[in-house]
Amino acid sequence: MTVAIERDGLPEWLLPVRAAAETVLPEQLSRFLPPASGGRPSAVLMLFGHGETGPDLLLIERARSLRSHAGQPSFPGGALDPEDGDPAGPGPVAAALREAEEETGLDPAGVQVFATLPALYIPVSGFVVTTVLGWWRRETPVGPVDPAETGAVFRVPLTDLTDPANRARLRHPSGHVGPAFEVAGRLVWGFTAGVIDRVLHYSGLERPWDVRRTLTLSEEALNLTGADRQHDRGSPAPR
């Protein structure tokens, strides 16, 4: 599946996001950048829609029975398969859409891919992750396709993500401190929260919030994700 990037025809509220994606530098997103060689190519889909309460973002919650990242909210996504194509070319876009369809039942034909972010590196897992940005131009019903892999599919209003009351920093057992969002009755953290945080910031959608507010992972989250053993930072978990 080859999908061209179409930057035109977006709703006005998405234009700052597109502008940020097209101009942001890798080092502005993370201090963990891909190595000159090696790493496992993967991709995630950051899908913007317009739901009942306005602009929103599609997320999933990984099944609690999984070996890694269990119960963790994330973008749909995973590792590139050979049929996705060149990791330096169309591969990440194809992989992001394929994984989203496999995990949520999303119809890729209704998604307009309008940008990709610079690839980032997750040292603990060795994944090189490309975030693919899409506009849900023609929405279709979504939900967990395989409950053994996807526990829930949900949409988070952008107003909730930008609400200062829902913002915090999360301290990991490894000592790493990163962004977190308390939305939809869930705690979004790790790689996913980091990307959301930077996109909101560089698109000018971020509202001032108390960066001193710090949370710690609950015992339940630690046990589910194995974070105390893996020092996980929310990397996508390819099959």
Side-chain angles (χ1 to χ4, degrees):
M1 176 177 59
T2 300
V3 177
I5 293 179
E6 300 179 45
R7 62 186 310 276
D8 298 325
L10 299 175
E12 187 173 352
W13 59 267
L14 256 183
L15 299 184
V17 175
R18 186 190 68 189
E22 292 177 342
T23 57
V24 71
L25 301 175
E27 56 269 24
Q28 292 177 309
L29 297 174
S30 174
R31 62 190 178 93
F32 298 109
L33 305 181
S37 62
R40 188 176 185 189
S42 61
V44 296
L45 179 64
M46 188 175 192
L47 181 61
F48 295 88
H50 197 286
E52 296 179 356
T53 59
D56 59 20
L57 195 60
L58 182 72
L59 296 176
I60 68 170
E61 181 178 278
R62 292 175 53 76
R64 291 175 173 249
S65 59
L66 292 174
R67 187 176 62 179
S68 63
H69 315 294
Q72 187 172 339
S74 68
F75 299 124
L80 269 67
D81 284 347
E83 62 267 25
D84 293 324
D86 185 359
V93 171
L97 293 174
R98 174 183 55 76
E99 288 281 348
E101 181 178 17
E102 292 175 1
E103 292 174 342
T104 74
L106 171 80
D107 182 0
V111 176
Q112 175 184 341
V113 174
F114 63 89
T116 60
L117 294 179
L120 302 177
Y121 185 56
I122 303 179
V124 174
S125 58
F127 296 135
V128 175
V129 188
T130 298
T131 300
V132 175
L133 278 62
W135 159 237
W136 207 355
R137 188 167 48 188
R138 294 191 304 276
E139 297 183 6
T140 50
V142 291
V145 174
D146 183 355
E149 292 197 3
T150 307
V153 178
F154 59 103
R155 300 171 69 162
V156 181
L158 290 190
T159 52
D160 289 354
L161 290 167
T162 58
D163 186 342
N166 298 333
R167 301 293 309 269
R169 303 193 74 77
L170 184 73
R171 186 177 301 279
H172 191 274
S174 66
H176 175 77
V177 179
F181 298 82
E182 292 183 301
V183 291
R186 298 170 172 87
L187 181 64
V188 181
W189 58 284
F191 177 86
T192 302
V195 171
I196 295 173
D197 172 79
R198 294 294 80 194
V199 168
L200 293 179
H201 176 76
Y202 287 109
S203 64
L205 298 175
E206 182 182 46
R207 296 166 57 191
W209 58 282
D210 186 2
V211 296
R212 299 169 299 178
R213 182 178 180 235
T214 303
L215 307 175
T216 56
L217 281 178
S218 67
E219 287 296 326
E220 179 185 16
L222 285 171
N223 291 334
L224 279 173
T225 63
D228 52 342
R229 299 185 302 273
Q230 299 179 24
H231 295 240
D232 175 42
R233 292 175 188 161
S235 60
R239 293 177 184 80

